[in-house]
Amino acid sequence: MSAIPIRLYPEQPKQVYLYASCLVDMFDPNAGIAALQILEAQGIEVLWLEQQSCCGQPAYTSGYTDSAMKVAKQQFELFDTDIPVVVLSGSCAGMLRKHYPSLLEKECDSDALAKFSNQVFEWGEFLLNICQIKLLDKGETTKAVVHNSCSARREMGIAETTMRLLKQMDKVELVEPKYASECCGFGGSFAKRHQDISLAMVADKAKHLLETQASFLLSADWGCLLNINSYLEQQQSGMRGQHIATFIWQRCYGGEL
Amino acid sequence: MSSKANILGRLKSATIESSKNSELTPNLTSELSACSSTFGLEQFQQQLELSHAEVINLDNPNQIEAKLKSLIKDNAWKHGVWSSSTNPSRFLDVERQLSKSEILRQVDGSESKADYFHHFDFGLSFSEAAIAETGTIVLHPGTNESRSLSLIPPVHVVIVCLKQLHHNFEQFMLDFEQQGQGRPMPSNLILVSGPSKTADIQQTLAYGAHGPQRLIVITIAALED
Amino acid sequence: MSQHIHPQHFKQQSKVALADPQLRSSFRNAMDYLQDKRAQSFSEPGSFEQLQLRGEAIRKRCLNQLPELLEQLESSCTNNGIVVHWAEDAQQAREIVSGILAEENAKTVVKGKSMLSEEIALNEHLAALNIECLESDMGEYIVQLANEAPSHIIMPAIHKRKQEVAELFAKHIDGFEYTEDVDSLIKAAREVLRYKFEHADAGITGVNFAVAQTGTLCLVENEGNGRMTSTVPKVHIALMGIEKVVESLNDIPPLLSLLTRSATGQAITTYFNMISSPRQSEDNDGPNAVHLVLVDNGRSQAYSDERYRASLQCIRCGACMNHCPVYARVGGHSYASVYPGPIGKIISPHLLGLEATGDLVTASSLCGACESVCPVNIPIPALLRELRSDAKLPSASEQALKGQASHRSWLEESVWVIFRIIMTKPVLYRGLSFFVVRFSFLMPRLPAIWGPQRSNPKPSTKTLHQLMRERKKNS
Ligand code: SF4
C-alpha cells in the first residue's frame, strides 16, 4: 500500500460507539471496561450495542467471503453513521474501515459505507488525536515493550500514534523489540493451518520481546496477544502481554478492574 | 489460429473498463532540477568512486597522452584496443597520438573473439555522455566502437567529455529522445556505472565477475565549456 | 529443475527447512542485508512513495494497452531486424527456442539470468536434445552445479554458504584449489565461464523491459554475463513474458530506479543494456541474429481477471520476498515453484492451478509487509485473499482460473456457515460466548489448537457483554 494518506481528525464528539472485538469480549473483558471508563473520563458518552459480535475478519481472510459479507452487513447496519466507532483493536478497525466498503459494495449504500469508514477509529488513535488526551502517570518507574500489530502499523498507520500515546506516561521507559515491524505469526486461521511457520514466527517474536528485559508487554491488539501469550505461557516465561487500555487505566486512573 | 492471434485475442477480449483506469493513472513526470556542472561533476565522480571505479581528473586534453603512458607502464599492459571518439575534433591530437602507439590497435572489426579474450590487456574508448546522479557513463558501440572493447578485456579505460553531463537517467532519456527524433535507436546503447561485480556468494561483493575488473574514468576539466 | 518437488508438499518442505538452523540463518542474514540496503536507498522521506506512484501509474497504463503495445513492439522489433516469436505456453516457448537452435546448428548455449527460462523448464528440454545450456549468472551457475533450483528471483544462490560453494567448485571445476575466499571463488568461476562465452554457439537471456515504440530490449545486471551472452555468440535469443512491454523510452528511468533500489538498494546497476537490433553492417561486433520470444503461459488468464491483473505490474525486484516473514523462515525451495515468496503465491496458481497451490495461498498471515515495499504497489494480501476465496467457491465459473473451487470441503464450509449464523444472531453469539467463558477451564484440556508449543488461549470467566449488563443494572 502506498503511503497512508494523512488523516484529518474531527472535534471531540459527545457520543461514541465502543466496538470491543470478539476477542476482548471473550478473553479480556476488563480491557473493555478500562477502555470504556477512560473514554468516559474524557466526558464522552459511550454507547454499547448489545448486538455487536465479530467483524467477520476470520471468515474474510479464510476465503469465505460470503459468510464474511453477511456478518459484516449485520454489524454495519447496527451503526448510525453520524457517531464515531471506537475500536479496541487495530486489526478490527482495519477491517471496518478499510475492508467493509469493498466487501459490502454490492449490499449497502456506498455513501453510507464511506461515511462509516470515516467514523472508524482505533481506541488509542481516538484518544490521542481526537480527545487530545494528556495522561498523568501515577505508577512506579518501569519498563514496557510494545508490540504493534501489522494492521495497526500498515493498514491503519497508527503504530507511531500508539507509541506517542504511551510515551505520555513519563515513568514508563518505552521500548520496541528488534524486528519490531515483523509479524508475530498470528494471522487468524494461518496460525492453525500453518502451525510450524507460525510457531517459528512467534518464537522469534517472543525472543526479541524478552531480550528487552521489559517488565510489561503491551499491545492494542488481542489477536497478537492471544498468540504471543500462548507461546509465553507454554515456555513458562514470566512475561505476559496486556492490552494498553488496562495498563493506562491502572497507571493513570489508579484503579483495579 | 496462430499463437499470436490467440494471445492477442485473449488480451483484447479482456476489456476491463480500461478508460476508467487510465484516468487513475496520470502521466506523472518528475521535476527535473537543473544541476550546475561543477556540482554535477563532483557527484559524478563521487558516485563512480563509490562503485569502485577509478577516476582521474586532467586539466586539458594534452595531458592524456602522458597519463596513458604512465598507466600502461605502471600496469605493464602489453596490448590494448581503442576506438575513436564520435566527436573527433575535440580529441584530434590525442587520437593522432593513439594511432601511432605500438601497443594499441584501433577497432576496425577485424579483431577476433580470441583477441578480446586472450590478447588485449585493456580497452580504451571515449564516452558519448555521462550521468551525474548515478555516476554513469554512456557507451554507444557501433561504427567506431565495439561492444567487446568495454566488456571483455580485464580493464576498461574511458575518456569522458564533460560537456555532456546529464543530471539523471531521466534527463538523459529525454535529451536522447529529442536529439534522436525519428532516427532509429542504435543497435546497442549501454549504461556503465562501475566495474563488473557480483554479490551472489553470501552477499559478499567481488569485482570482475564477468566483465572488466577495473573501470578507469578519465575526465578533462578544460572541455567543460 | 530436479529440486522442483511440488508445491503440494509445501507444508512438509517448509517443516524440513524450519528445522535447518544453517538454512534459517543464511536466509535471515540475507534478508537483513537486503532490507537494510533497500531502506538506505529510500532513506529520504517520501522518496519511495513518490517514485512508487509513478511506477504504478506507468505499469497500469502499459497494461491497459497491452495488446496494442505488443503489436507495436513486434513491428518495431521486426523493423529493427529482431525476429519476434509468440508462445502461448511453456511447451511452445521451449520448441521455439530449440527450433532456432537447430536452425543455427547450435550445440552449446550460455544463458543469462532468466526466471522465465526456469518457468518453461528450458534447461531440461535442451539437455534432452543434447544441447548444453550453461547458466552464466554467478548465482545461477552455482545452483546449476548443485543441481538445484534458484531459491530467490534476484539472488538465486542466497541459501548457499561460501563453504558449500567452495565444495561444489572443488567437485566440478578442474584444477580448482580449495578456498573459501569469495574473490578467489568468483575468479575461478570467471575463468570457466569466459571459456564458455568465447565458444558458445548461442546466448539466451531474459528481458527486464521492452520498449514498444523503439523495439528496444533492456537488460539490467551487475555482472556483465548478460552483456557477454548477448554480445559474443552469433545468435541471441531473448525470452520475455508478455507483460513486460512498456510504451516509450521515458517509461524506463523510473522503473529502473525502482527496480534496482528495491532489489539491492543500488541507485543503478553496473550495466543497463539496451539492445535494439542485431549487428548492423557498420557495427564492429554483436550477434548476427536476435530473436525475441514473447511468452504468455498463464499471463493472459491473470490479465482477464480484473482482480488479478495487478499482479502483472510486477517488475520482479524481489523486495516482497526480502521482507516476507514466511519466506525468511522457510526459504525459497519450500515453495517448490519457480517464483517463491509473496508474489510467487499469486503467480504460481496462474501457472499451476489452485488445486496444487492451495497451501501456498494460505501460507501467509496477511501481515502486509510485501505490499508496503512493492515498488509498483501490487496489493498482494488482497490478491491472496481473493485466491483463497476462489479456492473455496462452490463451483468453478467459466474461463476460470484452473483449480477454482478445488479447496472447498463441506466440513470447513459448515464451520463458516455456523460462524456466520452465530455472528449475525446476537442472541446466539452471546449464548456461545457465555458458553465459552463458562467452560473456559476446559480449554487447556482440549486438543492443542496451535500445536504443543503453545498453550490453548484461556477465555476470561465473564464476557464483556456480561460485564456491561451488570454495569447497566448497577447504575
Ligand atoms: S510483487 Fe512487487 S515487490 Fe514483489 S517482486 Fe514484484 S514488483 Fe517486486
Side-chain angles (χ1 to χ4, degrees), chain A residues 127-229:
Chain A
L127 285 179
L128 188 79
N129 291 331
I130 295 178
C131 305
Q132 320 264 341
I133 196 171
K134 297 278 173 285
L135 296 176
L136 242 152
D137 191 359
K138 300 179 196 152
E140 303 280 302
T141 305
T142 190
K143 182 170 173 180
V145 59
V146 183
H147 170 72
N148 277 297
S149 74
C150 297
S151 328
R153 184 183 299 277
R154 288 185 269 266
E155 211 158 48
M156 294 294 288
I158 52 166
E160 286 307 308
T161 309
T162 305
M163 295 306 279
R164 270 194 289 134
L165 174 69
L166 294 171
K167 272 194 188 129
Q168 290 188 357
M169 292 179 283
D170 48 16
K171 295 209 202 75
V172 182
E173 185 197 340
L174 214 57
V175 291
E176 279 200 289
K178 251 187 2 193
Y179 297 103
S181 64
E182 204 173 83
C183 176
C184 72
F186 180 54
S189 54
F190 167 75
K192 172 143 187 66
R193 195 182 288 267
H194 294 278
Q195 278 177 27
D196 299 313
I197 303 172
S198 167
L199 175 66
M201 288 163 74
V202 75
D204 284 345
K205 182 56 77 186
K207 179 171 150 246
H208 298 133
L209 290 168
L210 289 167
E211 270 168 12
T212 63
Q213 304 208 325
S215 311
F216 291 92
L217 163 59
L218 308 177
S219 179
D221 268 273
W222 252 95
C224 311
L225 285 179
L226 216 55
N227 178 38
I228 298 171
N229 280 351

Side-chain angles (χ1 to χ4, degrees), chain A residues 1 25 50 53 179 182, chain C residues 32 329 371 423 429-430:
Chain A
M1 115 201 30
D25 184 30
E50 284 264 312
S53 55
Y179 297 103
E182 204 173 83
Chain C
D32 289 353
R329 286 175 179 79
E371 185 184 20
M423 293 305 176
Y429 169 74
R430 286 198 302 273

